[in-house]
Structures are given as structure tokens and as C-alpha cells.
Amino acid sequence: MDVRLSWRHATKRYFLVGFIDANLRGASQVFLQNNPVTGLIILVAVCWGAVNAQTPRAAIGAAVGLVVGTATALVLRVPHASVGDGLFGFNPLLTGLAISIYLRPGALMWIYVVIGAVVTTVVTLAIGTVLKTWNVPSLTFPFVLTTWFLLLATYQFAWLRNGALGQPVLPHSLDPRATRVHVTGAFLTPSMLKDVSEVFLIGNWVTGVLILVALAVNSLWAAGAAIAGAVVSTLLALWFGASAGVVAGGLYGFSAVLTAVALGGVFYHPSRRLVLYALFGIVFTVVIQAALGTALAPVGIPALTAPFVFATWLFLLPKRDLVPTAHRELPEHDVIKTR
Amino acid sequence: MDVRLSWRHATKRYFLVGFIDANLRGASQVFLQNNPVTGLIILVAVCWGAVNAQTPRAAIGAAVGLVVGTATALVLRVPHASVGDGLFGFNPLLTGLAISIYLRPGALMWIYVVIGAVVTTVVTLAIGTVLKTWNVPSLTFPFVLTTWFLLLATYQFAWLRNGALGQPVLPHSLDPRATRVHVTGAFLTPSMLKDVSEVFLIGNWVTGVLILVALAVNSLWAAGAAIAGAVVSTLLALWFGASAGVVAGGLYGFSAVLTAVALGGVFYHPSRRLVLYALFGIVFTVVIQAALGTALAPVGIPALTAPFVFATWLFLLPKRDLVPTAHRELPEHDVIKTR
Amino acid sequence: MDVRLSWRHATKRYFLVGFIDANLRGASQVFLQNNPVTGLIILVAVCWGAVNAQTPRAAIGAAVGLVVGTATALVLRVPHASVGDGLFGFNPLLTGLAISIYLRPGALMWIYVVIGAVVTTVVTLAIGTVLKTWNVPSLTFPFVLTTWFLLLATYQFAWLRNGALGQPVLPHSLDPRATRVHVTGAFLTPSMLKDVSEVFLIGNWVTGVLILVALAVNSLWAAGAAIAGAVVSTLLALWFGASAGVVAGGLYGFSAVLTAVALGGVFYHPSRRLVLYALFGIVFTVVIQAALGTALAPVGIPALTAPFVFATWLFLLPKRDLVPTAHRELPEHDVIKTR
């Protein structure tokens, strides 16, 4: 592997190469991977989706968030190993992406993106300090928490208009007619691929395919887990009677895809018992997705990846109680670290 | 005590007897007791109430939750001592009960009950891991958290209709006319007995009497604390001007009853100072009960036993700071364990 | 310093002098100071503001909360050093103040103030136990949590009417016309002084001046940080397009003022890097202020000082990760202690 070796050498010799490497790994860490090639393909996938949705600013927002977040971590003198693994890139990337999608474009919006990215890095350190107590990773919670605050605030600021948030409403029971759909392969396949792309708030099946390729480059197991998460969550949502339009948009599956990758990545020797355990984790992610849809309706903000975070925390925390067990500790270098 | 000894032997020799014992103790742990006879009488009380309310499915839901939860803990290889004490039965019991009361009956509802019971057990382990840090018990929080998610989600699923949840509304100040009532023994006695039965979401004074008998079998002190909790909370709610209909239904007292038993059970040598401390705990439980009534109105879910959990946590956490103190550590075997 | 020495002697010899000293220090701890003279001037400032707003009961509520809270801590046998530093006075002071401002006056209101002050002290111990894990101070969170519960509950109690809370509403985007204002010194100066006085829920620029004097008596640095917090938050809110009326009332700055003092007080050798860090903390406090305005609208309660608490926690928690750093540990005696 000559190329890999010389890249690794270059990242240590030249600051800029190391910085680029950290950012690429940061993009891959959204899916709990640590691989610059995976990150590169993911960034291409995001660009494709953003341009096709005629919101190229979403890709720029993601890039700005990624770079500003990683740079902030360096300024704050976070240990280089963590920064180099991209652990301070993926949350600000998502914050930048979300702000640039949900807010109306403008100069102030870009300042808000930069503020959001800086604060997300601080919040990543804060949440990491708290969660270290139980040896659980922050996942994308720093992004979720910071972005919830940033989005809620826009209702009070006339020059930071949110253009793509739903109007705050009191929740009501779903009209059964909203569930009507012909469940065919032509319906399911793009839905499930959008489950993957919606991790980046993009509803584009090509982006989904590219992300699956990116995952497969680093870990076939992760790609398989992502697909399993998409399949299970989509079928479960349809079975429970979710809105067909929401399922088609991939909005019931993106958190479940991440839960599947996260819980899947913790198992060293997957057994039937542990696959069943992960399955319940995916099922509960879908329940939390629907639940947050209800709970957040009156304040007009989206769930983001909170269902993934909450479900994965609840299913990772019991770890130490399951003895003897086939779990392995969260690995230091190929999956997101606890910090 | 020949019968007790031979029962204990049988629980160790025959798996089925041990499993039944664990489940009966699980039913008693709702009231922080650890006694199979108490559990048996409580289950009879729940059956009586469920049948009289023409919702026998509530009793079946409770039983399914209890058994599935305890079995899940065994499959997850939780230490046998904890399972045997019923510590993995009481939360899923309440989840099964709540789902079968609040949802419209149907095959999918029963699947939801089973999912809920399994997840509640996982959540019990997760919350236990977190709270171990401060040596505080999870109480019924795993039930509350899981059931809140499960109920919120029903608004988004057409085939999981909630039939008995209030419509989401913006809160408004209580009409003073709602407080009108003749406060006589004929009003107070059934109200206070329903304070006890409503722990199981059942408004039936006979169920309340049976539960008090069940408590007395294990601990006269616990039965006395439960009565004190009911009396104080009912009178306080009326004094503050709560809705008379809500007070009559026992809905201001069920969390306070549990707080009284929990705080009362922690005192070894009750002194006047500590009785006063517990009294403030009960008073604040009533305040939180009213507060959650307001806070949860816009999202259309009930407070469940969250007021008990929050108030008891807040009043148990300072324990270590009260020195010298008459507190005893949470006992290992007769009250719920911290895990 | 003869006077200081003899006062210190008197506090140790006579219980009453010691108790008064603890209460005066408690008043100063709202701004994270530990100085009886500062506390005395602050109490005068609150009286002035309360009387001028024709709500003298607000000053009485603050005094009752302060005294009851400190006394409760003594009854609960909290270590004398903490009580003597006023660490059990400032939260109940704020609770008593808030209850007497937001509720309609009456005998039951005063009982509610006393209950609130007692419970706030218990909650201070509880939150302190939890936060000790990460060496972070409780700040004013015990006040915020307890008062949120107390205020939410008033919607359900006919004899505890809230008179000054906004009606619960669904949030909506701000009308740009609400931002119209001539930004002159005549607009900015009183706004910024009210940023300081609104820490005590009082919109009075004289009160603001007096508080700044009180701070300067103990620490010029703290007074300067408070002014910086007011300036930054006011200008930022105007730049983002906040409601001019809300800015003029000092409601965008009071939490930011506290954040500035808290983050400023932690820096030993302030460097440019750390000033920038504090600046982002102030900016994010303003964002959280706006965000809670949206999030709490449907349940009809104010944010209180929660934006200060949340932002300061998030910016203090990373402390241990910033190595090498110019941070100093939270000092034992001149700033609020972690307990």
C-alpha cells in the first residue's frame, strides 16, 4: 500500500496535508468511520445532492462548518490525535449544513454558520467531558444541541429568517389516508437510499448510493449495517402506519441507519442474541423519530439526528452490565472515540 | 415460618418457581417493596380495577409487560440477584399497563406492548448505569421515559391509535368554578384511596384498599407512609385550588404516595426534622404534578409517575451532604436497589 | 482595615452577625461575588427598583427567600463554610423575588414563596451533588429549575394566580417592523443598564448603576465584565434583528451579563485567545436567550437565567481539555464554589 503509506507520511510532514486529512476523516466520522477516502466520497455525494436540489450553499455550509470546526479545535489546543481522527469535524459539518439549508441565504447567515461551527466544537468538548463518566461517545449530539438552539433562535431574529422550517403547530393524530401507498420495489428502493442521504438532510437516491460506496470502501460491515437500518426502519414505519410521503422522503430511516452502523460497529463477534439487540435498537430509533416529530411540532424545529443519539446511548449504556458478553470496547482508532 | 422457607427453597431448585417469585416481587417493587405476597395482592388489585373499568386488557398488558421484562433481563444476562428481587419487572409492568390503557386494542397494540417491555428493560440498565454515579435508584423513570416516547409516537402512526390521551392544547389558567366541591369524608376517602390505585392508572377505591393491605403485609410503615402521602397531597391540592374533579380522580396524589413511601423508606430513625424533610418532598411532588400538567399539555401526553421520580431524586441526592444524619443507606434487600 | 477585621470577628462570635453576613454575601453571590458590602448595595438596588416599579413586595420576596434559604441550609446541617459564603442564599433569593413578581399578591403567595425557598435549598444540594462529578458550579440553576416548576404549576391552581406571565402561544417569526429603532446613546445606555438590573427581574437603569457600583466595590474586573456583557449582547441582538422593545427592556442582556462575569472570573491571566473564547460564550448566551423565548412560548413561562446557566456550563466544561491553558481552577473563596 504505497499510496496509503506516503499519504500518512505527508500528513505528518506537512501541516496542510494533515489538516486536509483531518477534515476528510471528519466527513467520514458522520457515519462513525475514520477514513479519508470515505470522507472524500461522502463530500462528493453531498455536493451532488446539494447541487441537484439547487441549494449548492448546503455543500458550502458543510465545508465551512467542517473546516472552521477542525480549526477551532486546533486553536483550543485539543490533543492532536483526536483532531487528526476527524472527531472535531463531523459535528460542525452538520451544523453548517443544517443552518445553510434551513435559513434564508445572506451574509448574516454565513456569520451564523461560522458562529455555529465554533460553538459546536466547544459543545463537543463539553459533552465529551460529561459522557466520559460512562464511557459513551457524544455521537452527533453536539450538532443536535447547538443547531436546535440556533434554529429556535431564528424565530426571534428578523434578519435570520428560517425559510425551510415547518410552522409551529399543535400535534394531531395522522389521517389514515396519508398512509396509502403501493409498496413496490419502485417505492421502497429510492425511499431506502434516501434514508442514507437524509443523514445529510438531502433527499437524493444517488447521494445515498455514493454514501454506501463510501462506507464499503472502509468497511463492508458498516455498509451492510446501513442497508439493514434502512430496510428495517422503512418496513416498520409502513407497518405502523406512518405517512407514506414522509417514508418516501427517507425521513423515518436516517437516524435508524446511523443507529445500525453504531450498534453494529460495537459488536466484535456478532451473535444472534446481539443482532436481536441491535434490531430492537433500530426499532426504538423509529419510535423516537415519530415521538420527536410530535414533541417538537409546537416549537417548529426538526428532530435532526436526535433519535439516533438517544437510542444509541440507551442501547450502549447497559454494555457493562451484559456479562459475559461478546461486546468489545469502543475501539480507539476505527470508530468514533469516547474522547 | 415453614411455608416461607420451603417457598425460598423451591425458588432456588425449580426455575419456574424462581421466575414466578421474581415476577411477584416485581409487582411489589412498583411500591418499592420486595415481597412476593405483596406482589400477588397487588396483581389481584390491578385485575379487580381493570375488570371493573371494563378494560381487562389493562391487567393482561401489565402481566405481559412484567413477564417479558423479567425474561428480557435474563436473556441479557443481568445478575440473577437483581432479577430475582423483581428489579427488572416493575418498570415493564407499568409500560405494558399504560400502553394497553392508552392505545386502542388490536394485534399491533400487543406487539407494541412487547416492544415496549423489552426496551424498558434495556432502558432500566442504561439509566441504572448513569445513576450509579450518584448512588440514586432509577425508580420508575425507565417506564416514564420509554412510555413517553411510545405514546408521543402514536400521533404519527395511523395503525397505533391512542384512544385515551387528551387532545394537545395550549395550557390556560384554571377556571375557579372547577374548584367547587363539598369537602366531606364522602369526598375525601375515595379520592385518597384512588391516589393509591392511580399508581396503576386505575381509579378504583377497592383497588386502593387492596394495595394498602398488600403494603401492610410487608411493612406497616410503608402502608402508613402511603396514606400520609395521599392525605397531604389531597388536602394541599384542594388548598391551592386544584380542579376538584382531578383531585377526586386521585390524579394529584399517586406520585405523592410513591414519594412518601420512597422518602419514608430511607429513614432509619425518623426524627421530626426528617419527617418535615419528607413533607416538603411530598409538597413539591404535588407542585411538579401540576407543573407537568401544564408543560405536557401541548404535546398531549400524561405526566405518568414523573413527578414522583423528579421529586424523589431531588430529595435523595442531597443525602451525602446532610451530616451528621439519621439517614441510612438504601438497603440491599427490602427496598429498591440502586443497582 | 480595622472595620473589616472587627466585622469578621463579630461574625464568628455572634450567631446573628454571622447569619446577617451570610445573607449579605448570598445577595452578592447572584453575581458570583463573595462580599457583604457588595451584597448590601445590591439589596438597596433591588429595593429601589422594586419600590419604583410599585411592587415593593418583590424586595420583600427577595429578602424572605434569602433568609429562609440560608436558614434551611443551617437546619439541614450543610457545612458552615459554604453557608457562610452565601452559597445557599442567592438561589432562594431569586426564587422569592420571581414568585412575588409573577404571582398575584396574597397570603397563599407568601406561603408559596417560603415553600419555594426551602425547596430551592434542597435542589441546590441535589444539583451540587450531580455537578461535583465534573467540577462545575450549579450557578443559578436551582433557582431556574424550582421556579419553572412553581410557575408552571400556577396554571393548574385557581388560588395561585400568575398575573404577570405571558399567555401560552405557539411561536411565530418576528415581524420585521418590531426591529425599528433609532440606535442612539439615549437608546443604548438605559438598555444596557437594564441588562444589569434585569438579573433581578427589574427594568430600572438606576438599579443597574447601583449594581455596577456594588460589583466594583469587590472587583473592578467583574464590573468591567458585566459592562462588556451588556454591550456585546445588546449590539448583537440589534444586529440579528431582535425586537427593539425587548432589547430596550434589557431582556436580551441579563443572562449575557452573568455569563461575562462567570467566564471572566475564571481566567487568571486573560489572553487574547481566552477573551475570544468568552466572547463566543456571550454570543451563544444571546442565541440561547432567543431560543428559549421560542421553546417556552407554548407553556407560558420565562427563560429566567437559564441562558446564562446553559451557556456557562457548556463553556466551562471543556476546561480540563484546554492544555496548556491560562485557566485557573474555580477559586475556593472569592467566586462561587463548585461545592
Side-chain angles (χ1 to χ4, degrees):
Chain A
M1 284 297 182
D2 235 23
V3 182
R4 279 175 71 172
L5 255 183
S6 31
W7 177 259
R8 177 161 294 200
H9 276 292
T11 63
K12 285 180 183 160
R13 190 165 302 172
Y14 308 105
F15 174 79
L16 189 64
V17 179
F19 188 73
I20 291 170
D21 182 70
N23 279 295
L24 293 176
R25 288 174 192 271
S28 74
Q29 286 284 8
V30 174
F31 274 90
L32 303 100
Q33 312 299 309
N34 182 358
N35 185 318
V37 180
T38 300
L40 184 63
I41 304 176
I42 283 179
L43 288 179
V44 170
V46 168
C47 284
W48 173 273
V51 169
N52 266 274
Q54 301 189 318
T55 54
R57 69 178 188 278
I60 302 169
V64 170
L66 177 61
V67 170
V68 170
T70 306
T72 303
L74 290 176
V75 172
L76 290 175
R77 294 177 197 160
V78 171
H80 270 68
S82 305
V83 179
D85 284 346
L87 295 176
F88 287 84
F90 68 105
N91 273 297
L93 181 157
L94 291 171
T95 302
L97 182 63
I99 296 303
S100 54
I101 280 186
Y102 287 117
L103 263 64
R104 295 211 192 133
L108 206 52
M109 185 207 83
W110 289 109
I111 290 168
Y112 213 51
V113 165
V114 171
I115 292 172
V118 171
V119 172
T120 301
T121 302
V122 174
V123 172
T124 303
L125 286 163
I127 303 293
T129 300
V130 172
L131 294 181
K132 199 156 46 186
T133 312
W134 305 289
N135 201 26
V136 182
S138 327
L139 305 170
T140 54
F141 189 63
F143 148 63
V144 171
L145 186 67
T146 310
T147 305
W148 274 351
F149 280 134
L150 291 167
L151 292 181
L152 283 168
T154 58
Y155 287 93
Q156 313 294 332
F157 293 136
W159 316 136
L160 283 166
R161 275 282 133 102
N162 58 72
L165 290 180
Q167 193 74 11
V169 289
L170 290 173
H172 52 85
S173 288
L174 188 72
D175 186 333
R177 283 172 299 182
T179 66
R180 278 187 205 152
V181 65
H182 285 283
V183 180
T184 61
F187 172 83
L188 289 177
T189 311
S191 302
M192 290 171 184
L193 288 169
K194 287 179 189 171
D195 286 339
V196 178
S197 72
E198 276 292 346
V199 169
F200 292 95
L201 303 135
I202 287 167
N204 184 311
W205 67 268
V206 177
T207 298
V209 170
L210 285 172
I211 291 174
L212 287 176
V213 170
L215 290 179
V217 164
N218 188 51
S219 156
L220 279 176
W221 176 252
I227 293 170
V231 171
V232 170
S233 61
T234 301
L235 296 181
L236 187 79
L238 291 173
W239 189 33
F240 280 0
S243 155
V246 176
V247 173
L251 297 173
Y252 265 107
F254 66 92
S255 266
V257 162
L258 289 172
T259 302
V261 173
L263 293 182
V266 180
F267 301 142
Y268 193 47
H269 295 301
S271 67
R272 248 181 302 174
R273 199 169 66 97
L274 292 174
V275 166
L276 202 65
Y277 188 75
L279 189 67
F280 273 100
I282 296 170
V283 167
F284 201 54
T285 305
V286 175
V287 169
I288 299 181
Q289 183 82 47
L292 290 185
T294 302
L296 299 176
V299 292
I301 53 169
L304 304 173
T305 49
F308 150 61
V309 174
F310 295 164
T312 302
W313 278 349
L314 290 173
F315 275 73
L316 283 183
L317 276 166
K319 214 171 32 167
R320 64 181 72 179
D321 287 292
L322 305 176
V323 278
T325 165
H327 281 134
R328 63 170 165 165
E329 286 309 299
L330 285 172
E332 281 298 298
H333 287 293
D334 19 87
V335 181
I336 183 175
K337 280 198 285 189
T338 318
R339 295 209 39 259
Chain B
M1 285 294 184
D2 235 23
V3 180
R4 280 175 70 171
L5 256 183
S6 30
W7 176 259
R8 177 162 293 202
H9 276 291
T11 62
K12 284 181 182 160
R13 190 165 301 172
Y14 307 105
F15 173 79
L16 189 64
V17 178
F19 188 73
I20 291 171
D21 183 69
N23 279 293
L24 292 176
R25 286 175 193 272
S28 75
Q29 286 283 8
V30 174
F31 274 89
L32 304 102
Q33 311 299 308
N34 182 359
N35 183 318
V37 179
T38 299
L40 185 63
I41 305 176
I42 283 179
L43 288 179
V44 170
V46 169
C47 284
W48 173 274
V51 169
N52 265 274
Q54 303 191 317
T55 54
R57 68 179 189 278
I60 303 170
V64 169
L66 177 61
V67 171
V68 169
T70 307
T72 303
L74 290 176
V75 172
L76 290 176
R77 292 177 199 161
V78 171
H80 271 68
S82 305
V83 181
D85 283 346
L87 295 175
F88 287 86
F90 69 106
N91 273 297
L93 181 159
L94 291 170
T95 302
L97 183 64
I99 297 304
S100 54
I101 279 185
Y102 287 117
L103 262 66
R104 294 211 192 134
L108 205 53
M109 184 207 84
W110 290 108
I111 291 167
Y112 212 51
V113 165
V114 171
I115 291 171
V118 171
V119 171
T120 301
T121 302
V122 174
V123 172
T124 304
L125 286 162
I127 303 293
T129 301
V130 171
L131 294 181
K132 199 155 46 186
T133 312
W134 305 289
N135 200 27
V136 183
S138 325
L139 304 172
T140 54
F141 189 63
F143 147 63
V144 171
L145 185 67
T146 310
T147 304
W148 274 349
F149 280 136
L150 291 167
L151 292 180
L152 284 168
T154 59
Y155 287 92
Q156 312 294 332
F157 295 136
W159 316 137
L160 284 167
R161 276 281 133 102
N162 58 72
L165 290 180
Q167 194 73 13
V169 288
L170 289 173
H172 52 86
S173 289
L174 187 73
D175 186 334
R177 283 172 298 180
T179 65
R180 278 186 204 153
V181 64
H182 285 283
V183 180
T184 61
F187 172 83
L188 290 177
T189 313
S191 301
M192 291 172 183
L193 288 169
K194 286 179 190 170
D195 285 339
V196 179
S197 72
E198 276 291 347
V199 169
F200 293 96
L201 303 134
I202 287 168
N204 184 310
W205 66 268
V206 177
T207 298
V209 172
L210 285 172
I211 291 173
L212 288 176
V213 170
L215 291 179
V217 164
N218 188 53
S219 155
L220 279 176
W221 177 252
I227 293 171
V231 170
V232 170
S233 61
T234 301
L235 296 180
L236 187 79
L238 291 173
W239 190 32
F240 281 180
S243 155
V246 176
V247 173
L251 297 173
Y252 265 107
F254 65 92
S255 266
V257 162
L258 290 172
T259 302
V261 173
L263 292 183
V266 179
F267 301 143
Y268 193 46
H269 295 301
S271 67
R272 250 180 301 175
R273 201 170 65 97
L274 293 173
V275 165
L276 203 65
Y277 188 75
L279 189 67
F280 274 100
I282 296 171
V283 167
F284 201 54
T285 306
V286 175
V287 169
I288 300 181
Q289 183 82 46
L292 291 185
T294 303
L296 298 176
V299 292
I301 53 169
L304 303 174
T305 49
F308 150 60
V309 174
F310 296 164
T312 302
W313 278 349
L314 290 173
F315 276 71
L316 282 183
L317 277 166
K319 215 171 30 166
R320 65 182 71 180
D321 287 293
L322 305 176
V323 279
T325 166
H327 280 135
R328 61 169 168 167
E329 286 307 299
L330 285 171
E332 280 298 297
H333 287 292
D334 21 88
V335 180
I336 185 175
K337 282 195 284 190
T338 319
R339 294 207 41 260
Chain C
M1 286 292 186
D2 235 24
V3 182
R4 278 174 72 172
L5 256 182
S6 31
W7 176 259
R8 177 162 293 201
H9 276 292
T11 63
K12 283 182 184 159
R13 189 166 301 173
Y14 307 105
F15 173 80
L16 189 63
V17 178
F19 188 73
I20 291 171
D21 183 70
N23 279 293
L24 293 176
R25 287 175 191 272
S28 74
Q29 286 284 8
V30 173
F31 273 90
L32 304 103
Q33 310 300 308
N34 182 0
N35 184 318
V37 179
T38 300
L40 185 63
I41 305 176
I42 283 180
L43 288 179
V44 170
V46 169
C47 284
W48 173 275
V51 169
N52 266 274
Q54 302 190 317
T55 54
R57 68 179 190 278
I60 303 170
V64 171
L66 177 60
V67 171
V68 170
T70 306
T72 303
L74 290 177
V75 173
L76 290 175
R77 295 177 196 162
V78 171
H80 271 69
S82 306
V83 180
D85 282 346
L87 294 175
F88 286 85
F90 68 106
N91 274 296
L93 181 158
L94 291 170
T95 302
L97 183 64
I99 297 303
S100 53
I101 280 185
Y102 287 118
L103 263 63
R104 297 211 191 134
L108 206 53
M109 185 208 84
W110 289 109
I111 291 168
Y112 212 52
V113 164
V114 172
I115 292 172
V118 171
V119 171
T120 301
T121 302
V122 173
V123 172
T124 303
L125 286 162
I127 303 295
T129 301
V130 171
L131 294 181
K132 199 155 46 186
T133 311
W134 305 290
N135 200 27
V136 183
S138 325
L139 304 171
T140 55
F141 190 63
F143 148 63
V144 171
L145 185 66
T146 309
T147 304
W148 274 350
F149 280 135
L150 291 167
L151 292 180
L152 284 167
T154 59
Y155 288 93
Q156 313 294 330
F157 294 136
W159 316 136
L160 284 166
R161 276 283 133 102
N162 58 72
L165 290 180
Q167 193 73 13
V169 289
L170 290 173
H172 52 86
S173 289
L174 188 74
D175 186 333
R177 283 172 298 180
T179 66
R180 279 188 205 152
V181 66
H182 285 283
V183 180
T184 61
F187 172 83
L188 289 178
T189 312
S191 301
M192 290 172 183
L193 288 170
K194 286 179 190 171
D195 286 339
V196 178
S197 71
E198 277 291 346
V199 168
F200 292 95
L201 303 132
I202 287 168
N204 184 311
W205 67 268
V206 178
T207 298
V209 172
L210 286 173
I211 292 174
L212 288 176
V213 170
L215 291 179
V217 165
N218 188 52
S219 157
L220 279 175
W221 176 253
I227 292 170
V231 171
V232 171
S233 60
T234 300
L235 296 181
L236 187 79
L238 291 174
W239 188 31
F240 281 181
S243 156
V246 176
V247 173
L251 297 173
Y252 265 107
F254 66 92
S255 266
V257 162
L258 290 172
T259 301
V261 174
L263 292 182
V266 180
F267 301 143
Y268 194 46
H269 293 302
S271 67
R272 248 181 304 175
R273 200 169 65 97
L274 292 174
V275 166
L276 202 66
Y277 188 75
L279 188 68
F280 273 100
I282 296 169
V283 168
F284 201 54
T285 305
V286 174
V287 170
I288 300 182
Q289 184 82 45
L292 291 186
T294 303
L296 298 175
V299 292
I301 52 169
L304 304 173
T305 49
F308 151 59
V309 174
F310 296 164
T312 302
W313 279 348
L314 289 172
F315 276 72
L316 282 183
L317 278 166
K319 213 171 31 165
R320 64 183 72 179
D321 287 292
L322 305 176
V323 277
T325 164
H327 281 135
R328 62 168 167 169
E329 286 308 298
L330 285 171
E332 283 297 299
H333 288 291
D334 21 84
V335 182
I336 185 174
K337 281 198 286 190
T338 319
R339 293 208 42 261

